[in-house]
């Protein structure tokens, strides 16, 4: 009876016709400039590896040919081993944990403010008219310019860093959530109205679920922005965190450790992005087939 | 969009008393215009119509003559620029459960399965789960989607999505059913099934129906009254009552009766008479 659901969507498309088309594609020479081409998973993976491989090879080559001193530009191998040493000998895990906690705490706070606010702003015009001028102005103020102020208000402790991370993302998040909420198709809301829904019911049963997949995408993007503010937050009077470690290392001209810190942030960003992608697939299974 | 100034409006074919009655629906001198940067578009001009309880009214007319706008105003989604609409004597000011609208575009909720989509209106009303489920199943079977009960809309074809919308609206048991080209995306066989379904629903639940279609045959087969609309500005040109013996025999033999053929011919001629203005 429910056969259409028990088959995962990937498989529903593998009718014989689709299969043969995919095989054709794999045999055919890779056509780069073709719109809407289907790329087999293996090719996608391979291309990703090739991209990274080339980048690392050029980097290693630059470091080895000695056109730049290894003090200034250590090779990828040196950076990886520095990262290993940081974990093994210098208790780097403590710094990493501190950074993760900071990013997550501030991000969660930003979500708690921005998601509800953005949704009501997007759903109800008077609230948008009231709040949006404020948000629009704040969005253009660079968060780092608040550092001196935050230092005076909150001192050098954790609160100041969390506040900076919070300010760095919250305005963008409000705007994105508002825009995605406004983009909910009016026909869906009108359908609910003709079925007898009240404003409150429609907000919860139509507007929120319709906007949620896109809001989730916004969260994913903004979390990445949050990581970019981390270093700025942690180089100011920080004793722990990835950024603080990098500042210490730069004082001793340990370029390899500075770059290891960057690598670590990049890796963490990837991990969080991956987790987000998994959550997305789990939470919104109906989004996979498009509309 | 200045045309409304030049076309002489034909004599009103409908009785237009301005007093609201206890009629199921009473449209009294309704006009609707939209103002935008490009100027004012008159979508509908001075529409008056009475629709009786349990009547099946079909709106027929060229694209852009304001059929959707009229339905939206009856549904309460749009406010008339002039004139008023009454439902059983009460003026329509907002949407309500008593008037269900099936949209011209797909409106199934993508995050709900077919079953949950159909249950939606009943859930809003706080109907107990058990009753809801059995009602939903009943209407899903009516539109022939029982195999797709737990599928999401993206797994359905266009016509199937439209049938979900039909089931969802029927399950909410509106007193007035407003349908905006509901069967346009369906193949002929499914379309015929839907016609039978509509006749069935009408017979059982005494629902009043206003349906928009471009299909003359469909109009004749289903309608108690066909309201033929013209455009620039949108107005009622003619009201036709296809007094056919609908229950006599099957649809195919009905199609070949002289009465049916004469009616179809009459409507097609009216449509042709309307087209010169549309080509400007
Ligand atoms: N929201 C709107 N703003 C401005 N003009 C509108 C709006 N809605 C409808 N119109 C105009 O009103 C007129 C009637 O539109 P409507 O959608 O009611 O036509 P229709 O009879 O349903 O056409 P179709 O058969 O193509 O669906 C059109 O000229 C259209 O441009
Ligand atoms: Mg229309």
């Amino acid at each position: 009876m429910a056969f259409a659901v028990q088959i995962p969507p990937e498989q529903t498309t593998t009718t014989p016709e689709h299969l043969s088309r995919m095989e054709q594609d794999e045999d055919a020479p890779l056509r780069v400039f073709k719109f809407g081409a289907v790329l087999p998973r293996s090719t996608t993976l391979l291309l990703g590896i090739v991209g990274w491989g080339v980048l690392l090879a050029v980097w290693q080559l630059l470091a080895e040919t000695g056109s730049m001193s290894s003090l200034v530009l250590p090779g990828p191998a040196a950076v990886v081993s520095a990262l290993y040493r940081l974990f093994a000998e210098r208790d780097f895990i403590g710094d990493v944990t501190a950074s993760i906690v900071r990013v997550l705490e501030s991000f969660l706070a930003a979500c708690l403010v921005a998601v509800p606010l953005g949704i009501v702003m997007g759903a109800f015009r008077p609230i948008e008219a009231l709040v949006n001028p404020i948000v629009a102005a704040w969005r253009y103020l660079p968060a780092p310019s608040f550092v001196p102020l935050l230092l005076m208000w909150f001192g050098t402790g954790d609160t100041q860093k969390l506040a900076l991370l919070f300010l760095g993302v919250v305005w963008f998040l409000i705007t994105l959530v508002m825009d995605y909420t406004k983009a909910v198709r009016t026909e869906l809301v009108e359908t609910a109205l003709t079925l007898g829904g009240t404003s409150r019911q429609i907000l919860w049963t139509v507007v929120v679920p319709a906007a949620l997949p896109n809001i989730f995408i916004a969260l994913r993007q903004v979390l990445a922005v949050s990581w970019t503010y981390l270093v700025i937050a942690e180089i100011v009077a920080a004793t722990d965190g990835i950024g603080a470690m990098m500042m210490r290392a730069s004082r001793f001209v340990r370029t390899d450790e500075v770059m290891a810190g960057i690598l670590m942030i990049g890796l963490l960003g990837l991990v969080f992005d991956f987790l987000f992608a998994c959550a997305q697939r789990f939470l919104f299974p109906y989004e996979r087939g498009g509309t | 969009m200045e045309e409304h100034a030049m076309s002489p409006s034909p004599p009103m074919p409908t009785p237009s008393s301005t007093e609201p009655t206890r009629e199921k629906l009473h449209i009294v001198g309704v006009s609707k215009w939209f103002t935008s940067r490009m100027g004012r578009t008159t979508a509908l001009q001075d529409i008056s119509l009475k629709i009786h309880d349990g009547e099946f009214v079909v709106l027929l007319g060229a694209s852009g003559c304001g059929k959707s706008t009229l339905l939206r105003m009856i549904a309460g989604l749009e406010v008339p620029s002039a004139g008023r609409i009454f439902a059983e004597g009460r003026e329509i000011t907002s949407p309500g459960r008593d008037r269900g609208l099936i949209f011209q575009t797909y409106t199934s909720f993508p995050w709900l399965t077919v079953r949950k989509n159909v249950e939606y209106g009943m859930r809003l009303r706080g109907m107990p789960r058990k009753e809801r489920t059995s009602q939903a199943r009943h209407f899903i079977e009516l539109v022939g989607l029982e195999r797709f009960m737990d599928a999401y809309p993206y797994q359905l074809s266009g016509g199937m999505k439209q049938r979900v919308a039909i089931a969802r609206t029927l399950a909410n048991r509106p007193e007035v059913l407003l349908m905006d080209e509901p069967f346009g995306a369906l193949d002929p066989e499914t379309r015929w099934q839907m016609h039978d379904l509509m006749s069935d629903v009408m017979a059982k639940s005494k629902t009043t129906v206003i349906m928009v279609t471009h299909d003359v045959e469909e109009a004749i087969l289903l309608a108690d009254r066909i309201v033929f609309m013209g455009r620039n500005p949108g107005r009622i040109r003619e009201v036709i009552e296809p007094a056919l013996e609908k229950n006599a025999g099957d649809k195919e033999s009905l199609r070949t009766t002289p009465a049916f053929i004469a009616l179809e011919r009459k409507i097609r001629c009216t449509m042709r008479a309307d087209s010169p203005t549309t080509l400007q």
Side-chain angles (χ1 to χ4, degrees):
Chain A
M1 176 189 76
F3 78 99
V5 177
Q6 280 154 5
I7 303 166
E10 277 103 327
Q11 283 178 31
T12 48
T13 53
T14 46
T15 55
E17 190 193 331
H18 282 83
L19 262 179
S20 62
R21 204 187 303 161
M22 263 167 76
E23 276 165 11
Q24 264 174 19
D25 270 7
E26 245 162 331
D27 292 341
L30 185 61
R31 288 173 58 188
V32 180
F33 302 107
K34 182 175 167 237
F35 290 109
V38 185
L39 205 58
R41 245 198 153 75
S42 54
T43 316
T44 312
L45 200 67
L46 189 73
L47 286 175
I49 292 169
V50 167
W52 265 103
V54 170
L55 182 70
L56 289 176
V58 170
W59 178 9
Q60 185 74 40
L61 209 70
L62 276 177
E64 268 174 26
T65 50
S67 56
M68 276 188 259
S69 151
S70 69
L71 207 61
V72 181
L73 183 73
V79 171
V80 171
S81 80
L83 188 61
Y84 174 76
R85 262 182 289 113
L86 279 172
F87 274 115
E89 298 160 19
R90 305 262 294 281
D91 196 27
F92 189 40
I93 192 78
D95 284 319
V96 172
T97 315
S99 291
I100 292 177
V101 169
R102 268 178 203 135
V103 166
L104 289 186
E105 272 182 5
S106 60
F107 182 69
L108 201 70
C111 290
L112 287 178
V113 172
V115 173
L117 186 61
I119 288 176
V120 292
M121 282 168 72
F124 306 113
R125 283 297 142 89
I127 299 178
E128 183 197 352
L130 180 73
V131 183
N132 196 37
I134 303 171
V135 174
W138 276 83
R139 207 174 52 230
Y140 283 96
L141 298 174
S145 67
F146 285 88
V147 168
L149 202 59
L150 296 175
L151 279 171
M152 289 195 298
W153 285 350
F154 302 117
T156 55
D158 238 20
T159 318
Q160 171 262 134
K161 297 172 186 65
L162 292 177
L164 176 68
L165 286 171
F166 177 84
L167 286 177
V169 297
V170 75
W171 311 109
F172 281 105
L173 201 51
I174 292 173
T175 309
L176 284 171
V177 172
M178 179 184 76
D179 285 342
Y180 282 132
T181 307
K182 279 163 89 172
V184 170
R185 283 177 55 211
T186 43
E187 286 100 333
L188 297 184
V189 172
E190 288 177 342
T191 298
L193 279 170
T194 59
L195 289 170
T198 62
S199 282
R200 178 196 287 261
Q201 282 177 325
I202 292 172
L203 182 68
W204 284 107
T205 60
V206 177
V207 176
V208 170
L212 218 50
N214 283 329
I215 290 176
F216 214 74
I217 292 173
L219 294 186
R220 189 173 165 183
Q221 289 163 345
V222 166
L223 182 63
V225 177
S226 196
W227 279 102
T228 65
Y229 279 111
L230 178 74
V231 179
I232 298 172
E234 286 183 342
I235 57 179
V236 182
T239 48
D240 59 353
I242 302 173
M245 182 282 290
M246 286 161 69
M247 277 312 280
R248 278 198 305 272
S250 83
R251 221 166 297 142
F252 297 106
V253 205
R254 290 305 303 263
T255 316
D256 54 346
E257 287 182 3
V258 173
M259 292 178 90
I262 297 174
L263 180 65
M264 194 61 221
I265 294 177
L267 288 176
L268 286 173
L270 271 183
V271 167
F272 277 96
D273 206 58
F274 177 74
L275 291 178
F276 249 104
C278 291
Q280 228 166 338
R281 226 168 302 156
F282 174 74
L283 288 173
F284 313 114
Y286 52 86
E287 281 286 299
R288 264 184 276 184
T291 42
Chain B
M1 289 281 163
E2 296 294 320
E3 286 93 327
H4 63 274
M6 31 187 272
S7 58
S9 71
M12 267 306 139
T14 47
S16 55
S17 95
T18 47
E19 286 297 302
T21 57
R22 307 271 318 159
E23 219 50 90
K24 191 73 204 171
L25 283 173
H26 192 176
I27 302 167
V28 189
V30 163
S31 297
K32 177 72 184 178
W33 51 81
F34 297 99
T35 27
S36 66
R37 235 169 277 143
M38 284 140 52
R40 202 163 104 168
T41 314
T42 306
L44 288 168
Q45 191 159 55
D46 199 18
I47 305 283
S48 291
L49 193 65
K50 280 181 191 168
I51 292 162
H52 319 298
D53 200 4
E55 196 178 13
F56 198 123
V57 173
V58 166
L59 297 182
L60 206 61
S63 182
C65 69
K67 304 180 295 293
S68 297
T69 307
L70 186 58
L71 285 196
R72 288 173 59 81
M73 286 194 295
I74 297 170
L77 295 172
E78 210 100 54
V79 185
S81 308
R84 309 207 281 174
I85 305 177
F86 300 88
E88 292 180 334
R90 274 169 289 116
E91 183 167 7
I92 292 171
T93 51
S94 63
R97 198 172 81 69
D98 55 320
R99 285 153 287 132
L101 174 61
I102 295 169
F103 286 72
Q104 201 169 353
T105 50
Y106 301 134
T107 53
S108 28
F109 300 125
W111 59 91
L112 297 180
T113 60
V114 169
R115 182 206 303 272
K116 292 269 171 63
N117 258 288
V118 175
E119 281 182 14
Y120 181 80
M122 298 182 272
R123 219 178 75 207
L124 289 182
R125 253 184 299 153
M127 184 187 278
R129 183 184 215 98
K130 254 219 177 99
E131 199 182 339
R132 215 162 71 192
T133 313
S134 75
Q135 286 287 314
R137 173 178 292 276
H138 169 71
F139 283 100
I140 290 168
E141 278 166 6
L142 270 188
V143 297
L145 287 177
E146 58 275 13
R147 279 170 61 225
F148 296 92
M149 202 85 94
D150 295 301
Y152 283 104
Y154 81 86
Q155 293 166 311
L156 306 179
S157 73
M160 287 155 88
K161 280 184 213 167
Q162 193 62 2
R163 282 186 276 160
V164 173
I166 292 169
R168 182 178 58 190
T169 307
L170 288 179
N172 211 33
R173 300 191 187 277
E175 291 170 31
V176 179
L177 183 58
L178 308 163
M179 301 196 288
D180 203 345
E181 291 181 44
F183 311 134
L186 303 182
D187 58 278
E189 291 91 332
T190 319
R191 197 180 254 256
W192 294 333
Q193 274 171 24
M194 289 295 123
H195 292 169
D196 293 342
L197 168 65
M198 287 321 300
S199 313
D200 236 44
V201 168
M202 292 288 298
K204 279 198 192 119
S205 63
K206 276 297 181 195
T207 314
T208 308
V209 182
I210 306 179
M211 184 176 94
V212 171
T213 184
H214 288 295
D215 185 334
V216 178
E217 187 188 314
E218 183 171 285
I220 298 173
L221 283 177
L222 291 173
D224 295 320
R225 210 147 40 116
I226 298 173
V227 175
F228 191 83
M229 294 175 66
R231 61 177 169 180
N232 295 327
R235 62 205 183 281
I236 296 174
R237 288 182 70 99
E238 205 167 335
V239 178
I240 302 161
E241 292 191 29
L244 295 176
E245 268 304 317
K246 291 208 177 110
N247 300 325
D250 62 307
K251 295 248 155 76
E252 282 311 308
S253 43
L254 183 64
R255 278 197 52 183
T256 50
T257 56
F260 188 101
I261 293 166
L263 204 57
E264 190 169 7
R265 190 185 137 78
K266 181 177 172 198
I267 293 172
R268 284 193 195 282
C269 288
T270 319
M271 286 167 91
R272 276 190 204 284
D274 186 43
S275 48
T277 53
T278 68
L279 290 176
Q280 283 175 5

